[in-house]
PDB file of all heavy atoms in Angstrom:
ATOM      1  N   ALA A 303      -1.833  23.536  26.103  1.00 95.00           N
ATOM      2  CA  ALA A 303      -1.351  22.407  25.320  1.00 95.00           C
ATOM      3  C   ALA A 303       0.073  22.699  24.818  1.00 95.00           C
ATOM      4  O   ALA A 303       0.937  21.782  24.781  1.00 95.00           O
ATOM      5  CB  ALA A 303      -2.305  22.101  24.120  1.00 95.00           C
ATOM      6  N   ILE A 304       0.353  23.924  24.446  1.00 96.00           N
ATOM      7  CA  ILE A 304       1.670  24.296  23.995  1.00 96.00           C
ATOM      8  C   ILE A 304       2.671  24.088  25.135  1.00 96.00           C
ATOM      9  O   ILE A 304       3.738  23.414  24.988  1.00 96.00           O
ATOM     10  CB  ILE A 304       1.753  25.763  23.468  1.00 96.00           C
ATOM     11  CG1 ILE A 304       0.943  25.867  22.187  1.00 96.00           C
ATOM     12  CG2 ILE A 304       3.187  26.238  23.327  1.00 96.00           C
ATOM     13  CD1 ILE A 304       0.821  27.295  21.661  1.00 96.00           C
ATOM     14  N   VAL A 305       2.314  24.602  26.305  1.00 97.00           N
ATOM     15  CA  VAL A 305       3.219  24.487  27.457  1.00 97.00           C
ATOM     16  C   VAL A 305       3.394  22.990  27.796  1.00 97.00           C
ATOM     17  O   VAL A 305       4.508  22.524  28.045  1.00 97.00           O
ATOM     18  CB  VAL A 305       2.689  25.223  28.707  1.00 97.00           C
ATOM     19  CG1 VAL A 305       3.523  24.949  29.936  1.00 97.00           C
ATOM     20  CG2 VAL A 305       2.629  26.736  28.416  1.00 97.00           C
ATOM     21  N   GLY A 306       2.271  22.246  27.708  1.00 96.00           N
ATOM     22  CA  GLY A 306       2.314  20.822  28.012  1.00 96.00           C
ATOM     23  C   GLY A 306       3.237  20.069  27.037  1.00 96.00           C
ATOM     24  O   GLY A 306       4.076  19.279  27.445  1.00 96.00           O
ATOM     25  N   ALA A 307       3.061  20.364  25.719  1.00 95.00           N
ATOM     26  CA  ALA A 307       3.838  19.645  24.727  1.00 95.00           C
ATOM     27  C   ALA A 307       5.317  19.935  24.892  1.00 95.00           C
ATOM     28  O   ALA A 307       6.197  19.089  24.728  1.00 95.00           O
ATOM     29  CB  ALA A 307       3.378  20.022  23.324  1.00 95.00           C
ATOM     30  N   LEU A 308       5.661  21.209  25.190  1.00 96.00           N
ATOM     31  CA  LEU A 308       7.084  21.592  25.230  1.00 96.00           C
ATOM     32  C   LEU A 308       7.722  21.158  26.568  1.00 96.00           C
ATOM     33  O   LEU A 308       8.950  21.007  26.633  1.00 96.00           O
ATOM     34  CB  LEU A 308       7.211  23.101  25.094  1.00 96.00           C
ATOM     35  CG  LEU A 308       6.807  23.678  23.726  1.00 96.00           C
ATOM     36  CD1 LEU A 308       6.932  25.169  23.720  1.00 96.00           C
ATOM     37  CD2 LEU A 308       7.670  23.090  22.616  1.00 96.00           C
ATOM     38  N   SER A 309       6.906  20.976  27.591  1.00 96.00           N
ATOM     39  CA  SER A 309       7.535  20.596  28.892  1.00 96.00           C
ATOM     40  C   SER A 309       7.232  19.161  29.265  1.00 96.00           C
ATOM     41  O   SER A 309       7.642  18.701  30.356  1.00 96.00           O
ATOM     42  CB  SER A 309       7.043  21.557  29.968  1.00 96.00           C
ATOM     43  OG  SER A 309       5.668  21.587  30.057  1.00 96.00           O
ATOM     44  N   GLY A 310       6.494  18.463  28.396  1.00 94.00           N
ATOM     45  CA  GLY A 310       6.184  17.038  28.671  1.00 94.00           C
ATOM     46  C   GLY A 310       5.301  16.874  29.900  1.00 94.00           C
ATOM     47  O   GLY A 310       5.408  15.895  30.627  1.00 94.00           O
ATOM     48  N   ARG A 311       4.406  17.839  30.111  1.00 96.00           N
ATOM     49  CA  ARG A 311       3.480  17.745  31.254  1.00 96.00           C
ATOM     50  C   ARG A 311       2.038  17.737  30.824  1.00 96.00           C
ATOM     51  O   ARG A 311       1.748  18.081  29.691  1.00 96.00           O
ATOM     52  CB  ARG A 311       3.774  18.913  32.221  1.00 96.00           C
ATOM     53  CG  ARG A 311       5.232  18.981  32.685  1.00 96.00           C
ATOM     54  CD  ARG A 311       5.411  20.133  33.645  1.00 96.00           C
ATOM     55  NE  ARG A 311       4.543  20.073  34.771  1.00 96.00           N
ATOM     56  CZ  ARG A 311       3.962  21.111  35.358  1.00 96.00           C
ATOM     57  NH1 ARG A 311       4.218  22.306  34.905  1.00 96.00           N
ATOM     58  NH2 ARG A 311       3.186  20.960  36.412  1.00 96.00           N
ATOM     59  N   GLU A 312       1.181  17.329  31.730  1.00 96.00           N
ATOM     60  CA  GLU A 312      -0.254  17.302  31.460  1.00 96.00           C
ATOM     61  C   GLU A 312      -0.838  18.733  31.478  1.00 96.00           C
ATOM     62  O   GLU A 312      -0.718  19.421  32.521  1.00 96.00           O
ATOM     63  CB  GLU A 312      -0.975  16.469  32.524  1.00 96.00           C
ATOM     64  CG  GLU A 312      -0.848  14.969  32.338  1.00 96.00           C
ATOM     65  CD  GLU A 312      -1.357  14.513  30.990  1.00 96.00           C
ATOM     66  OE1 GLU A 312      -2.405  14.994  30.544  1.00 96.00           O
ATOM     67  OE2 GLU A 312      -0.682  13.701  30.357  1.00 96.00           O
TER      68      GLU A 312
END
Side-chain angles (χ1 to χ4, degrees):
I304 291 173
V305 174
L308 294 177
S309 57
R311 301 181 58 216
E312 283 302 318

